[in-house]
Amino acid sequence: GNTALFAAVAVAARLVIGMALALALHTRLIRRQSLYRTLYYLPTITPMVAVAFVWKFMYDPQFGLINQVLGTKINWLFDARYAMSAILLLTIWKDFGYAVILLLGAMYSLPVECYEAAETDGATAWQRFRFVTLPLLKPTIVFIVITSLISYFQTYIPVMVLTGGGPGTQTYLASYLIYQEAFSKYNFGYASALSFVLFLFIAILTAISFRISGQNEGQV
């Protein structure tokens, strides 16, 4: 349940933020595009361990930057109400640049004729986005969703570094549960069964991803 909720929220946030920033860059609402493309993508290529340790310091209840800015004393990582949200916030911040780059690249390859026809018919900016941009971006959106699900169902490092699965088991995700069952409780049979189920699920998503990629190449 934790893994499904985590993956759903992270994928949705990654896609929404990525789409908003890609549109802003594509329509030149944000200038200095090369600089911002680099800044958005830089967290994505930064090692997760390094990022997680930095955010762990930022979440410190007494000296952390986040509490200093908000003027609060929240124990982000060891309060059951906030621990999963803290991991999600880190994950979303690190990964949204992936969606920005893919969506922006796809937008630059869209046929200009479709937008010219929509403008001739008097379509508003929202209508052009809703009825032209979104349908044309569907293959890219589906690809981002599937690859993101594959990635998030294997999330392990943020949980290990930030919370260790706590408080209690509030932030246990599938990969971390497998690790605990195998190397802390030595339930290798149960851990193997969990690993096999996770492998099957990821294999299905990977097959879907390859199928979509093949269809896109055929269309090109």
Side-chain angles (χ1 to χ4, degrees), residues 155-182:
T155 298
Y156 169 76
I157 293 175
V159 178
M160 178 188 70
V161 174
L162 294 183
T163 65
T169 58
Q170 289 292 321
T171 56
Y172 266 53
L173 298 179
S175 293
Y176 190 77
L177 175 61
I178 292 169
Y179 170 81
Q180 287 295 314
E181 291 294 335

Side-chain angles (χ1 to χ4, degrees), residues 59-125:
Y59 281 132
D60 186 275
Q62 294 184 343
F63 308 107
L65 177 63
I66 294 177
N67 276 339
Q68 295 292 330
V69 171
L70 297 178
T72 59
K73 292 290 185 180
I74 297 174
N75 195 347
W76 294 97
L77 303 180
F78 298 100
D79 189 321
R81 295 172 297 176
Y82 305 110
M84 185 62 78
S85 298
I87 295 174
L88 272 167
L89 182 60
L90 157 64
T91 304
I92 293 166
W93 174 85
K94 186 182 185 305
D95 291 345
F96 74 86
Y98 171 82
V100 173
I101 296 301
L102 288 183
L103 289 169
L104 186 60
M107 288 177 185
Y108 281 127
S109 66
L110 297 181
V112 179
E113 296 81 5
C114 295
Y115 291 96
E116 293 176 346
E119 289 179 4
T120 302
D121 292 338
T124 64

